[in-house]
Amino acid sequence: MEVSRIGLGWIVFFTELEPSITVTEQNLADRVRYILRSNIFDGAELERLRREAVPSSNENATTGGAVPQVAEQPAHVDAAENTPVVADSNDDGTFTQELEIEQMRSTLEEAIMETRSTPLENRPRLPRIALSKRNRAVVRALNPILVTYLEASRDLCETNSILFGAALAVCRIIGAKLSTAGRTTGQSSAIPAWITRIEERIAKARALIGRLICFRSGNTRPRIVRTVRMAFAGTNVSLSQPDIMQKLTERIDDLKQRIAAWGKRIRRYTERSIRFNQNRLFQSDQKRLYKSLERPMVSGTGPVPNQADTVAFWRSLWSEPVNHNEGPWMEVVASQCAGITPMDPVTITPDDVAEAVRRAPNWKSPGLDGLHHYWLKGFVVCHTVLARQFQEVLNQKSLPSLFTTGITHLVPKGQGTTESSKYRPITCLPTI
């Protein structure tokens, strides 16, 4: 509905109803757009309100037409529904809300139900979303809706499932791209596709150079000759012309220059990536950066240890019970510690959870559950529930297996080793 459709008559009519409120044509137009866009009333209810608010034609005749007719208003409903609703936000200004609260509630409920019925390994991978005002506003809008679900949570596993469902709902609301094939347990390749294509071109060019050199050296086998003819396809070069050797040399030099250009492009990208990662690491963890500069990079593409030997090595350390011979020195230590005052019972508060989450990196690699720290920061209503459930776990002295299970990656301590003891185990546990 356009502002001109409101008319001065509506201003007079509204002023008579609410004389204490100052209203303009733009105010009324914005309110009408909001009502039509948010679907607060269905079509029948809107029609009833129009009939009650708009006087009949006889009444208009007696009142001098102070209030204009709006019989043409339904023709403008589509235009009004396509107008985004601007909602005020006290924190970060304003944002354009694409979905209303009820639609967000429905999306959240659907995502939570889907997460509860999906095995852990089949959950979609949550992407890293942009830290924009609009995305933060969507996360804040889901906080009051999450309270009902979190208050009914029985343990940490259920809370984790609810939070993942809420994160999934946010990704769907903002239109973030989600992987539909589930999360893979292996490490994904970070090599861009264009580098792979260039490496294939380099391999083909080197093979072609080898064939051309063989032909120039006098090798006239049919496969070599066929490859040379393909190399000069589309040109006026013939294998029987007198200067064929010069053409072969020029073609070989051209291919070598292309290989050099392609290789230089890959090296520029690699050097740029190293600089970018080092700058980012310098901002987040300087100690780790300096350590990486002091020791040489360890490549993980060399020989790997035998899987059976590796399992047997770590099982002997962690799975098999060992009877230790506790000598008399234990009695001495016990007598020395007898006078130590026991520590006070630990009480976990929501502030403790908020402080721990605040210091954590947003997109640190998650565990099997796939939930990043960003979502624990954004859904602040979960801090109270997590504090209570952490306290219960601490009192019971038992953690659910979800929070003690992860995929262990073996990182070699040196180059070219296959001994299981020369590998350092790294395991990503759930961020909670």
Side-chain angles (χ1 to χ4, degrees):
M1 176 183 292
E2 300 176 358
V3 176
S4 58
R5 292 280 178 179
I6 300 297
L8 294 177
W10 284 109
I11 304 298
V12 176
F13 183 60
F14 190 89
T15 304
E16 294 175 357
L17 294 176
E18 296 290 341
S20 61
I21 300 177
T22 303
V23 67
T24 64
E25 292 184 0
Q26 187 62 51
N27 295 145
L28 284 179
D30 291 342
R31 292 301 91 195
V32 170
R33 283 196 202 95
Y34 175 77
I35 292 174
L36 295 175
R37 176 64 179 84
S38 59
N39 295 325
I40 297 177
F41 306 107
D42 56 17
E45 187 69 14
L46 279 175
E47 187 61 30
R48 185 185 64 82
L49 291 174
R50 291 191 188 101
R51 287 196 303 267
E52 292 180 0
V54 180
S56 63
S57 57
N58 294 333
E59 293 174 346
N60 283 337
T62 58
T63 57
V67 181
Q69 292 286 344
V70 290
E72 299 179 0
Q73 185 175 354
H76 301 276
V77 171
D78 294 338
E81 290 181 351
N82 293 328
T83 305
V85 179
V86 177
D88 293 332
S89 174
N90 296 328
D91 298 330
D92 296 316
T94 61
F95 69 96
T96 304
Q97 191 175 13
E98 301 294 341
L99 293 174
E100 297 303 321
I101 297 300
E102 290 302 322
Q103 294 173 318
M104 296 174 67
R105 189 189 305 275
S106 175
T107 304
L108 174 63
E109 184 175 358
E110 179 182 351
I112 292 177
M113 294 297 294
E114 178 182 336
T115 303
R116 286 175 175 173
S117 60
T118 303
L120 202 64
E121 62 275 9
N122 292 338
R123 285 183 180 180
R125 183 185 297 273
L126 294 176
R128 299 183 179 186
I129 65 174
L131 303 179
S132 63
K133 293 181 179 180
R134 176 179 177 271
N135 293 348
R136 288 198 298 266
V138 173
V139 174
R140 284 198 304 269
L142 285 183
N143 269 287
I145 309 177
L146 268 179
V147 173
T148 305
Y149 297 94
L150 291 173
E151 288 180 347
S153 175
R154 295 166 295 182
D155 53 25
L156 280 173
C157 292
E158 188 171 354
T159 300
N160 178 276
S161 176
I162 293 172
L163 292 176
F164 187 92
L168 184 61
V170 171
C171 293
R172 289 175 176 174
I173 290 172
I174 66 177
K177 185 177 181 181
L178 291 166
S179 61
T180 56
R183 295 182 297 114
T184 57
T185 56
Q187 185 176 4
S188 61
S189 174
I191 301 177
W194 65 269
I195 289 184
T196 304
R197 290 193 297 268
I198 289 180
E199 290 176 346
E200 292 175 354
R201 294 176 193 170
I202 292 176
K204 292 179 180 179
R206 285 174 175 170
L208 181 56
I209 289 175
R211 299 286 179 88
L212 295 176
I213 292 176
C214 289
F215 182 81
R216 190 176 59 178
S217 302
N219 189 336
T220 57
R221 286 185 299 177
R223 188 171 63 175
I224 299 296
V225 174
R226 184 167 58 250
T227 303
V228 174
R229 286 176 177 171
M230 292 176 60
F232 288 104
T235 64
N236 295 326
V237 178
S238 174
L239 300 186
S240 59
Q241 63 188 50
D243 60 344
I244 184 61
M245 293 303 173
Q246 180 182 354
K247 297 296 183 181
L248 284 173
T249 302
E250 293 176 356
R251 181 62 174 162
I252 291 173
D253 291 342
D254 177 68
L255 290 174
K256 288 182 178 180
Q257 292 176 11
R258 290 189 180 188
I259 291 175
W262 289 334
K264 187 174 182 180
R265 182 180 177 187
I266 294 178
R267 285 194 299 272
R268 285 200 307 267
Y269 171 80
T270 304
E271 293 172 357
R272 184 262 175 194
S273 298
I274 293 175
R275 291 195 302 269
F276 176 81
N277 292 331
Q278 288 178 348
N279 291 337
R280 186 171 59 178
L281 189 59
F282 180 81
Q283 296 176 356
S284 60
D285 192 346
Q286 297 182 12
K287 181 179 178 181
R288 183 179 170 190
L289 171 63
Y290 294 139
K291 283 186 176 181
S292 66
L293 295 176
E294 291 172 359
R295 63 174 181 267
M297 297 298 293
V298 179
S299 175
T301 59
V304 297
N306 181 269
Q307 182 177 0
D309 296 341
T310 303
V311 173
F313 173 78
W314 290 105
R315 180 175 289 143
S316 65
L317 295 179
W318 297 106
S319 300
E320 298 178 1
V322 178
N323 295 323
H324 298 282
N325 184 16
E326 298 179 355
W329 64 272
M330 287 292 295
E331 299 179 0
V332 176
V333 174
S335 62
Q336 293 176 350
C337 297
I340 298 178
T341 304
M343 66 179 292
D344 296 331
V346 176
T347 302
I348 302 177
T349 65
D351 292 337
D352 296 331
V353 177
E355 179 62 20
V357 170
R358 184 188 64 81
R359 296 194 306 266
N362 281 340
W363 305 111
K364 186 178 178 66
S365 297
L368 292 176
D369 61 336
L371 191 66
H372 299 89
H373 282 122
Y374 173 83
W375 306 108
L376 301 181
K377 293 181 180 181
F379 300 130
V380 294
V381 294
C382 74
H383 296 171
T384 303
V385 178
L386 288 178
R388 171 174 56 83
Q389 292 176 345
F390 285 150
Q391 190 68 50
E392 295 173 355
V393 166
L394 188 62
N395 297 337
Q396 297 171 1
K397 301 179 181 179
S398 176
L399 265 175
S401 60
L402 168 63
F403 301 99
T404 59
T405 304
I407 299 175
T408 300
H409 302 271
L410 297 179
V411 181
K413 300 178 182 179
Q415 291 281 6
T417 178
T418 59
E419 296 183 26
S420 302
S421 59
K422 300 299 183 182
Y423 282 76
R424 180 181 296 106
I426 304 294
T427 305
C428 290
L429 294 178
T431 54
I432 288 184

